[in-house]
Amino acid sequence: MYSFWLFFAGPSIAGGVVPVAIDDIAKQMLALLPNDGTPVLNRVMQVMLSRELGVAIDQDQFFTARDALLQQGRVGRLRGQGGQVFLLRELQPNEAPVAAQPERWPEARLMASLKIYLEGPFRKGLELPPDGICLVQDTSAMGPVRGRWARPDFILIAARRFKFIPSPQLDVHSFELKTETGADDLAVYEALAQTRFTHFGYLVWHLPDQSKAETRLDEIEKQCEEHGIGLIRMRDPNDPNACEILLDPVRKATLAATVDDFLELRLTDAQRKDIQHAMTEARP
Amino acid sequence: MTGKVIAVANMKGGVGKTATVVGLAEALAASGAQTLVIDLDPQANASICLAGDSVLKQLIEGGKTIDGFLEDRIFKKRNTNFDDCIRSNVSNVRHTNHMQLPISLLASSSELRLVERELIFRLTRAERNLDWIVEQLYAAIRDQLRYTRNNYDYILFDCAPGISALTEVSVRLADMVIVPTIPDFLSTYGLQSFCSNLWTGEIAKQSTLKKPKKKPHVLITRRRPIKEHARTTEKLLNERHKERPSFLLLETEIPEMAAIADALGRIQGAPTILQKWRAGSAAILASLSKEIKGALHGA
């Protein structure tokens, strides 16, 4: 039960005041929320409450009632678009627990999974020689403040030398990471724009099996192919081996000087020294 | 605050009375005006469009309707007031700033038809004439409006098709009467008889009650880009040039739009006014509310 009985004054038709108990608002909110847990925008719920109760419900009243329900574990909340509220169902006796809600994977959380994948299975797939080096750098917060699409989420630098060809080779890969709902045409162009500074551009898309977003996969893949961008599907962020390269990128003829300038600003001193060492050291 | 009373009436059905009331109420409320809708049609279409089914069910079950009021006041001789039956904050529509539109409702229900029948039954038993009913209703509603209009900027009556006693009362009490009319032969035929009946004809002459304050304002509704509608609109426009025009014609016209029909069905959720009416019809309603305010306040 509600442990408080606060009254707020809501305006009435006559311009006077009508007292509204917060627990009346809370009860009505529970009655109005969809039973299947579909979230409702806070501002929509506020209007629905005013309509049902016949008095204007202001933000203070609404949030006091909602916070009380949150504390009691009766409702949940989501962020974005002014916030949303949804009903948390209580399990009835003998009722089997419903399938767990899909885990939420915001981009910040996916970054750690991508790093593990790049340092593990992806690096292995490059088949670097024993004296080759591979560096993975989080560049999502590096680069010009106003530079548009100049901040790949990760870059991977692979330096190698060959048995017969005298000059060493440096490849810079850039990775643009997108959440399940975040991949669209623009994401492909973003990955493409990043190849202004690198040789290979990838779009990494968290796309679980049976995701509704799968309907966009063909279109995204086609766009990537047209622009020579690689596409990596991250099925399960908990399992780095579940990433799949759907499309290999085409190597861009980015000017060496441009790549040099880019790396200058993204790598640490130690990383730069490692690369210089790998590129210049005499062959064993 | 002394609210202006607007009656929306026409003898003919299907001309867009309810759409006009709902759209105009929302446009007036979106301009910041406290607006009350009084539904006088037993079909209760305006009530359901504004309140939605669950709130309307509550109101009908609680007797908070116009028929509940009339039954209490006239038959049971109780001191029930409009304020006891009016439901405020009834709209599910938000302004673009997300605030709920300030619309209140005195709902109707199908019982209203029974109340009218009961009145006629009592009239015949008491050997009274029809004017007695109109006088009873007129007195009851006039007395309520004296107080209620202090709380609102605009009060809109949604009248039932035909000329019922309630329609006659609301036309006589209104500061402005809007007659939605489709610009076709049948609708304009009905328009002439409606105007002559209530303003210049026998009903008007015989009644001892106060005459309607102004000539009715005709609002062209559901206009389509066809020749017949263009020709009829021209005829309606010609009324302006007559020495004694029987009606005034509003400049704003409401075209036949799917968006309007869709909007009336949006009784769930909480759309903004633009989401509900779409940009095209919202602009027309804004223009209509501006014109009506001008006509009422002499702008």
Short mmCIF file of all heavy atoms in Angstrom, two decimals, chain B residues 177-179 181 187-196 199-200 214-220 232-242 244-250:
data_model
loop_
_atom_site.label_atom_id
_atom_site.label_comp_id
_atom_site.label_asym_id
_atom_site.label_seq_id
_atom_site.Cartn_x
_atom_site.Cartn_y
_atom_site.Cartn_z
N VAL B 177 -24.55 31.57 -34.02
CA VAL B 177 -25.00 30.25 -34.47
C VAL B 177 -24.24 29.92 -35.75
O VAL B 177 -24.24 30.71 -36.71
CB VAL B 177 -26.52 30.23 -34.74
CG1 VAL B 177 -26.96 28.85 -35.24
CG2 VAL B 177 -27.29 30.61 -33.49
N ILE B 178 -23.57 28.78 -35.74
CA ILE B 178 -22.85 28.33 -36.94
C ILE B 178 -23.68 27.21 -37.57
O ILE B 178 -24.07 26.26 -36.88
CB ILE B 178 -21.44 27.83 -36.59
CG1 ILE B 178 -20.62 28.97 -35.97
CG2 ILE B 178 -20.73 27.28 -37.83
CD1 ILE B 178 -19.27 28.54 -35.46
N VAL B 179 -23.91 27.34 -38.86
CA VAL B 179 -24.68 26.31 -39.56
C VAL B 179 -23.76 25.66 -40.60
O VAL B 179 -23.58 26.19 -41.70
CB VAL B 179 -25.92 26.93 -40.26
CG1 VAL B 179 -26.81 25.82 -40.83
CG2 VAL B 179 -26.71 27.78 -39.29
N THR B 181 -22.71 23.60 -43.60
CA THR B 181 -23.51 23.27 -44.78
C THR B 181 -22.62 22.74 -45.89
O THR B 181 -21.61 23.38 -46.24
CB THR B 181 -24.24 24.53 -45.30
OG1 THR B 181 -24.98 25.09 -44.23
CG2 THR B 181 -25.16 24.21 -46.45
N SER B 187 -28.34 20.06 -49.11
CA SER B 187 -27.94 20.76 -47.89
C SER B 187 -28.40 22.20 -47.89
O SER B 187 -28.85 22.73 -46.86
CB SER B 187 -26.43 20.71 -47.72
OG SER B 187 -26.01 19.37 -47.70
N THR B 188 -28.29 22.86 -49.04
CA THR B 188 -28.70 24.28 -49.08
C THR B 188 -30.22 24.40 -49.04
O THR B 188 -30.76 25.38 -48.52
CB THR B 188 -28.15 24.98 -50.34
OG1 THR B 188 -28.35 24.15 -51.47
CG2 THR B 188 -26.68 25.26 -50.20
N TYR B 189 -30.91 23.39 -49.57
CA TYR B 189 -32.38 23.37 -49.47
C TYR B 189 -32.77 23.35 -48.00
O TYR B 189 -33.64 24.12 -47.55
CB TYR B 189 -32.92 22.12 -50.20
CG TYR B 189 -34.41 21.97 -50.14
CD1 TYR B 189 -35.23 22.74 -50.96
CD2 TYR B 189 -35.00 21.05 -49.27
CE1 TYR B 189 -36.61 22.60 -50.90
CE2 TYR B 189 -36.36 20.91 -49.20
CZ TYR B 189 -37.18 21.68 -50.01
OH TYR B 189 -38.52 21.55 -49.94
N GLY B 190 -32.12 22.47 -47.23
CA GLY B 190 -32.38 22.37 -45.79
C GLY B 190 -32.00 23.66 -45.07
O GLY B 190 -32.64 24.05 -44.10
N LEU B 191 -30.94 24.30 -45.57
CA LEU B 191 -30.45 25.53 -44.93
C LEU B 191 -31.52 26.62 -44.94
O LEU B 191 -31.76 27.29 -43.94
CB LEU B 191 -29.19 26.01 -45.66
CG LEU B 191 -28.66 27.38 -45.28
CD1 LEU B 191 -28.12 27.36 -43.86
CD2 LEU B 191 -27.56 27.82 -46.24
N GLN B 192 -32.16 26.79 -46.11
CA GLN B 192 -33.18 27.84 -46.23
C GLN B 192 -34.31 27.60 -45.23
O GLN B 192 -34.73 28.53 -44.53
CB GLN B 192 -33.76 27.85 -47.66
CG GLN B 192 -32.77 28.27 -48.73
CD GLN B 192 -32.29 29.71 -48.57
OE1 GLN B 192 -32.93 30.50 -47.89
NE2 GLN B 192 -31.14 30.04 -49.16
N SER B 193 -34.77 26.35 -45.16
CA SER B 193 -35.90 26.10 -44.26
C SER B 193 -35.47 26.21 -42.79
O SER B 193 -36.23 26.69 -41.95
CB SER B 193 -36.54 24.74 -44.54
OG SER B 193 -35.57 23.75 -44.61
N PHE B 194 -34.24 25.83 -42.49
CA PHE B 194 -33.74 25.94 -41.12
C PHE B 194 -33.71 27.41 -40.68
O PHE B 194 -34.18 27.77 -39.60
CB PHE B 194 -32.34 25.32 -41.04
CG PHE B 194 -31.72 25.38 -39.67
CD1 PHE B 194 -32.17 24.56 -38.64
CD2 PHE B 194 -30.67 26.24 -39.40
CE1 PHE B 194 -31.60 24.61 -37.38
CE2 PHE B 194 -30.10 26.30 -38.14
CZ PHE B 194 -30.56 25.48 -37.13
N CYS B 195 -33.16 28.25 -41.57
CA CYS B 195 -33.04 29.67 -41.24
C CYS B 195 -34.42 30.32 -41.11
O CYS B 195 -34.68 31.08 -40.18
CB CYS B 195 -32.22 30.41 -42.29
SG CYS B 195 -30.50 29.91 -42.29
N SER B 196 -35.31 29.97 -42.06
CA SER B 196 -36.61 30.63 -42.00
C SER B 196 -37.40 30.15 -40.79
O SER B 196 -38.10 30.93 -40.15
CB SER B 196 -37.39 30.41 -43.30
OG SER B 196 -37.69 29.05 -43.43
N TRP B 199 -35.46 31.84 -37.54
CA TRP B 199 -35.18 33.28 -37.48
C TRP B 199 -36.36 34.14 -37.96
O TRP B 199 -36.62 35.18 -37.40
CB TRP B 199 -33.92 33.61 -38.29
CG TRP B 199 -32.67 33.41 -37.48
CD1 TRP B 199 -32.01 34.38 -36.80
CD2 TRP B 199 -31.96 32.21 -37.27
NE1 TRP B 199 -30.93 33.84 -36.16
CE2 TRP B 199 -30.86 32.51 -36.43
CE3 TRP B 199 -32.14 30.89 -37.68
CZ2 TRP B 199 -29.95 31.56 -36.02
CZ3 TRP B 199 -31.22 29.94 -37.27
CH2 TRP B 199 -30.15 30.27 -36.45
N THR B 200 -37.01 33.65 -39.02
CA THR B 200 -38.05 34.53 -39.59
C THR B 200 -39.43 33.86 -39.72
O THR B 200 -40.42 34.53 -39.91
CB THR B 200 -37.63 35.00 -41.00
OG1 THR B 200 -37.35 33.83 -41.79
CG2 THR B 200 -36.41 35.89 -40.97
N LYS B 214 -28.19 37.04 -33.37
CA LYS B 214 -27.68 37.45 -34.69
C LYS B 214 -28.15 36.47 -35.74
O LYS B 214 -28.57 35.36 -35.42
CB LYS B 214 -26.14 37.41 -34.68
CG LYS B 214 -25.47 38.52 -33.94
CD LYS B 214 -23.96 38.34 -34.06
CE LYS B 214 -23.21 39.34 -33.22
NZ LYS B 214 -21.79 39.03 -33.13
N LYS B 215 -28.02 36.88 -36.96
CA LYS B 215 -28.30 35.95 -38.06
C LYS B 215 -27.30 34.80 -38.02
O LYS B 215 -26.16 35.00 -37.56
CB LYS B 215 -28.19 36.69 -39.39
CG LYS B 215 -29.39 37.56 -39.61
CD LYS B 215 -29.35 38.23 -40.93
CE LYS B 215 -30.61 39.07 -41.05
NZ LYS B 215 -30.42 40.29 -41.76
N PRO B 216 -27.69 33.63 -38.51
CA PRO B 216 -26.76 32.50 -38.45
C PRO B 216 -25.57 32.70 -39.39
O PRO B 216 -25.70 33.37 -40.42
CB PRO B 216 -27.62 31.32 -38.89
CG PRO B 216 -28.70 31.91 -39.71
CD PRO B 216 -28.97 33.28 -39.14
N HIS B 217 -24.45 32.11 -39.01
CA HIS B 217 -23.26 32.11 -39.87
C HIS B 217 -23.15 30.75 -40.54
O HIS B 217 -23.05 29.73 -39.85
CB HIS B 217 -21.99 32.35 -39.04
CG HIS B 217 -21.82 33.77 -38.61
ND1 HIS B 217 -22.58 34.35 -37.62
CD2 HIS B 217 -20.96 34.72 -39.05
CE1 HIS B 217 -22.19 35.60 -37.46
NE2 HIS B 217 -21.23 35.86 -38.31
N VAL B 218 -23.18 30.76 -41.84
CA VAL B 218 -23.06 29.50 -42.58
C VAL B 218 -21.58 29.17 -42.78
O VAL B 218 -20.79 30.03 -43.16
CB VAL B 218 -23.79 29.59 -43.94
CG1 VAL B 218 -23.45 28.40 -44.83
CG2 VAL B 218 -25.30 29.64 -43.71
N LEU B 219 -21.24 27.93 -42.47
CA LEU B 219 -19.86 27.46 -42.67
C LEU B 219 -19.90 26.38 -43.74
O LEU B 219 -20.59 25.36 -43.57
CB LEU B 219 -19.31 26.88 -41.36
CG LEU B 219 -17.99 26.13 -41.45
CD1 LEU B 219 -16.85 27.08 -41.79
CD2 LEU B 219 -17.68 25.40 -40.14
N ILE B 220 -19.19 26.62 -44.82
CA ILE B 220 -19.16 25.61 -45.89
C ILE B 220 -18.26 24.46 -45.45
O ILE B 220 -17.10 24.68 -45.07
CB ILE B 220 -18.68 26.23 -47.21
CG1 ILE B 220 -19.75 27.20 -47.72
CG2 ILE B 220 -18.37 25.14 -48.25
CD1 ILE B 220 -19.39 27.92 -48.99
N THR B 232 -22.77 26.03 -56.12
CA THR B 232 -23.57 26.28 -54.91
C THR B 232 -22.87 27.28 -54.00
O THR B 232 -23.52 28.13 -53.37
CB THR B 232 -23.84 24.95 -54.15
OG1 THR B 232 -24.20 23.97 -55.10
CG2 THR B 232 -24.91 25.10 -53.12
N THR B 233 -21.55 27.19 -53.93
CA THR B 233 -20.81 28.14 -53.10
C THR B 233 -21.02 29.56 -53.62
O THR B 233 -21.20 30.51 -52.85
CB THR B 233 -19.30 27.79 -53.11
OG1 THR B 233 -19.16 26.46 -52.63
CG2 THR B 233 -18.48 28.72 -52.23
N GLU B 234 -21.04 29.67 -54.94
CA GLU B 234 -21.28 30.99 -55.54
C GLU B 234 -22.66 31.53 -55.15
O GLU B 234 -22.79 32.71 -54.79
CB GLU B 234 -21.19 30.86 -57.06
CG GLU B 234 -20.64 32.09 -57.73
CD GLU B 234 -20.23 31.77 -59.15
OE1 GLU B 234 -19.28 30.99 -59.35
OE2 GLU B 234 -20.90 32.29 -60.04
N LYS B 235 -23.65 30.64 -55.17
CA LYS B 235 -25.01 31.06 -54.77
C LYS B 235 -25.00 31.51 -53.31
O LYS B 235 -25.65 32.51 -52.96
CB LYS B 235 -26.00 29.91 -54.94
CG LYS B 235 -26.46 29.72 -56.36
CD LYS B 235 -27.51 28.62 -56.39
CE LYS B 235 -27.73 28.16 -57.81
NZ LYS B 235 -28.49 26.90 -57.85
N LEU B 236 -24.30 30.76 -52.46
CA LEU B 236 -24.26 31.13 -51.04
C LEU B 236 -23.58 32.49 -50.86
O LEU B 236 -23.99 33.31 -50.05
CB LEU B 236 -23.52 30.06 -50.23
CG LEU B 236 -24.23 28.70 -50.10
CD1 LEU B 236 -23.29 27.65 -49.50
CD2 LEU B 236 -25.48 28.82 -49.23
N LEU B 237 -22.55 32.71 -51.68
CA LEU B 237 -21.84 33.99 -51.61
C LEU B 237 -22.75 35.15 -52.03
O LEU B 237 -22.66 36.26 -51.50
CB LEU B 237 -20.61 33.96 -52.52
CG LEU B 237 -19.38 33.21 -51.97
CD1 LEU B 237 -18.36 32.96 -53.08
CD2 LEU B 237 -18.74 34.01 -50.85
N ASN B 238 -23.65 34.86 -52.95
CA ASN B 238 -24.56 35.92 -53.42
C ASN B 238 -25.50 36.43 -52.33
O ASN B 238 -26.02 37.54 -52.43
CB ASN B 238 -25.41 35.40 -54.61
CG ASN B 238 -24.57 35.34 -55.87
OD1 ASN B 238 -23.53 36.00 -55.95
ND2 ASN B 238 -24.98 34.53 -56.83
N GLU B 239 -25.69 35.62 -51.31
CA GLU B 239 -26.57 36.02 -50.20
C GLU B 239 -26.07 37.32 -49.57
O GLU B 239 -26.86 38.13 -49.08
CB GLU B 239 -26.59 34.88 -49.15
CG GLU B 239 -27.61 35.05 -48.04
CD GLU B 239 -29.04 34.78 -48.49
OE1 GLU B 239 -29.22 34.16 -49.55
OE2 GLU B 239 -29.98 35.22 -47.78
N ARG B 240 -24.76 37.52 -49.64
CA ARG B 240 -24.16 38.73 -49.06
C ARG B 240 -24.70 40.00 -49.72
O ARG B 240 -24.75 41.06 -49.11
CB ARG B 240 -22.65 38.74 -49.28
CG ARG B 240 -21.90 37.77 -48.41
CD ARG B 240 -20.43 37.85 -48.76
NE ARG B 240 -19.69 36.90 -47.96
CZ ARG B 240 -18.43 36.59 -48.19
NH1 ARG B 240 -17.78 37.12 -49.20
NH2 ARG B 240 -17.80 35.74 -47.42
N HIS B 241 -25.05 39.88 -51.01
CA HIS B 241 -25.44 41.07 -51.75
C HIS B 241 -26.94 41.34 -51.68
O HIS B 241 -27.42 42.32 -52.25
CB HIS B 241 -24.99 40.93 -53.21
CG HIS B 241 -23.53 40.59 -53.33
ND1 HIS B 241 -22.55 41.42 -52.84
CD2 HIS B 241 -22.90 39.51 -53.82
CE1 HIS B 241 -21.37 40.86 -53.05
NE2 HIS B 241 -21.55 39.70 -53.63
N LYS B 242 -27.68 40.48 -50.98
CA LYS B 242 -29.13 40.71 -50.87
C LYS B 242 -29.39 41.83 -49.89
O LYS B 242 -28.59 42.09 -48.98
CB LYS B 242 -29.82 39.43 -50.37
CG LYS B 242 -29.93 38.35 -51.43
CD LYS B 242 -30.75 37.20 -50.88
CE LYS B 242 -30.87 36.11 -51.91
NZ LYS B 242 -31.46 34.90 -51.32
N ARG B 244 -31.77 41.93 -47.63
CA ARG B 244 -31.97 41.33 -46.31
C ARG B 244 -31.46 39.90 -46.33
O ARG B 244 -32.26 38.96 -46.48
CB ARG B 244 -33.45 41.34 -45.94
CG ARG B 244 -33.93 42.71 -45.58
CD ARG B 244 -35.35 42.60 -45.10
NE ARG B 244 -35.86 43.87 -44.63
CZ ARG B 244 -37.08 44.04 -44.19
NH1 ARG B 244 -37.92 43.03 -44.17
NH2 ARG B 244 -37.48 45.21 -43.76
N PRO B 245 -30.18 39.70 -46.18
CA PRO B 245 -29.66 38.33 -46.23
C PRO B 245 -30.20 37.51 -45.05
O PRO B 245 -30.34 38.05 -43.95
CB PRO B 245 -28.14 38.50 -46.13
CG PRO B 245 -27.93 39.85 -45.57
CD PRO B 245 -29.11 40.68 -45.93
N SER B 246 -30.53 36.26 -45.33
CA SER B 246 -31.06 35.45 -44.22
C SER B 246 -29.94 34.81 -43.42
O SER B 246 -30.18 34.23 -42.36
CB SER B 246 -32.05 34.40 -44.73
OG SER B 246 -31.48 33.69 -45.78
N PHE B 247 -28.72 34.85 -43.94
CA PHE B 247 -27.58 34.32 -43.16
C PHE B 247 -26.32 35.05 -43.59
O PHE B 247 -26.28 35.71 -44.63
CB PHE B 247 -27.42 32.81 -43.36
CG PHE B 247 -27.28 32.38 -44.79
CD1 PHE B 247 -26.05 32.45 -45.44
CD2 PHE B 247 -28.38 31.90 -45.51
CE1 PHE B 247 -25.92 32.06 -46.75
CE2 PHE B 247 -28.26 31.52 -46.82
CZ PHE B 247 -27.03 31.59 -47.46
N LEU B 248 -25.26 34.90 -42.76
CA LEU B 248 -23.94 35.43 -43.09
C LEU B 248 -23.06 34.24 -43.47
O LEU B 248 -23.28 33.14 -42.97
CB LEU B 248 -23.34 36.16 -41.88
CG LEU B 248 -24.23 37.24 -41.26
CD1 LEU B 248 -23.71 37.64 -39.89
CD2 LEU B 248 -24.27 38.45 -42.18
N LEU B 249 -22.11 34.46 -44.32
CA LEU B 249 -21.27 33.35 -44.77
C LEU B 249 -19.85 33.54 -44.21
O LEU B 249 -19.24 34.59 -44.39
CB LEU B 249 -21.22 33.31 -46.30
CG LEU B 249 -20.55 32.08 -46.91
CD1 LEU B 249 -21.34 30.81 -46.61
CD2 LEU B 249 -20.41 32.25 -48.42
N LEU B 250 -19.37 32.51 -43.54
CA LEU B 250 -17.99 32.57 -43.03
C LEU B 250 -17.01 32.42 -44.18
O LEU B 250 -17.26 31.67 -45.13
CB LEU B 250 -17.76 31.47 -42.00
CG LEU B 250 -18.46 31.66 -40.65
CD1 LEU B 250 -18.46 30.37 -39.85
CD2 LEU B 250 -17.79 32.77 -39.85
#
